Amino acid sequence: MPEIRPNYMINPSTMAILPARDINYDTIIYERERTLYIRKTPLQLIKQACLQYGASYDGRRAAVMHLLGSKKKVPIPISVSSGIYAFPTQSPNQFDCTWIFYSHVSRIRVIRPLSNSNYQASIVFQSDQFLDMKESYYLLEKQMHRTATCIYHFSSAV
């Protein structure tokens, strides 16, 4: 049985936040050196981290929507000063939404679907770990590009 924690603070080591379908925990966190199991939902953790780093989730989201002109699946600058930016793979209100932390992504690769697999792409992290995703290569690349544009806007505004 994995160690289950009631809470977690997103930090520069956070690579991905995944929803969990388990009665004992709601979220799986991937860091460079460890995997954690948390009793809060991914969106609760994202919102909590935004507040901890000095702004509300809704305020961050509104600012990004204004800058990018996009309203769906917008990246969230959790901490501009620490370089912590995350993007959702689906609408954040969807249960299956995974959050990927931009600074840890090395590349995205296409997975040739096997007959028994519905994974379409894999995110390869700088640590050489990877995460197989149901979302398409195109969607994940688009989210990476949006996040890069967000980083550019926020870093040039400082």
Side-chain angles (χ1 to χ4, degrees), residues 35-158:
T35 301
L36 301 161
Y37 303 86
I38 311 299
R39 284 199 174 105
K40 287 190 174 182
T41 67
L43 189 55
Q44 286 174 321
L45 293 170
I46 295 286
K47 287 180 175 184
Q48 171 187 298
C50 286
L51 287 174
Q52 191 72 30
Y53 286 109
S56 72
Y57 169 81
D58 292 330
R60 293 283 195 200
R61 188 171 182 278
V64 173
M65 287 189 306
H66 172 76
L67 288 170
L68 300 182
S70 178
K71 294 184 189 308
K72 295 183 179 182
K73 294 184 272 193
V74 297
I76 301 296
I78 293 170
S79 172
V80 174
S81 63
S82 297
I84 303 173
Y85 292 80
F87 65 84
T89 59
Q90 298 182 18
S91 165
N93 295 319
Q94 294 293 319
F95 177 82
D96 288 327
C97 178
T98 294
W99 290 85
I100 304 297
F101 289 74
Y102 181 89
S103 65
H104 292 281
V105 178
S106 173
R107 68 185 192 281
I108 299 168
R109 67 179 181 206
V110 175
I111 298 176
R112 298 281 176 234
L114 304 171
S115 58
N116 60 351
S117 169
N118 50 356
Y119 294 114
Q120 296 187 33
S122 184
I123 294 176
V124 181
F125 295 102
Q126 291 173 356
S127 61
D128 289 330
Q129 295 166 282
F130 63 91
L131 184 60
D132 290 342
M133 305 295 294
K134 293 189 186 330
E135 290 77 19
S136 71
Y137 173 85
Y138 171 78
L139 180 137
L140 295 170
E141 279 290 332
K142 184 176 175 182
Q143 287 300 89
M144 285 290 290
H145 178 74
R146 279 183 175 171
T147 308
T149 303
C150 176
I151 291 168
Y152 172 78
H153 281 294
F154 276 88
S155 61
S156 60
V158 176

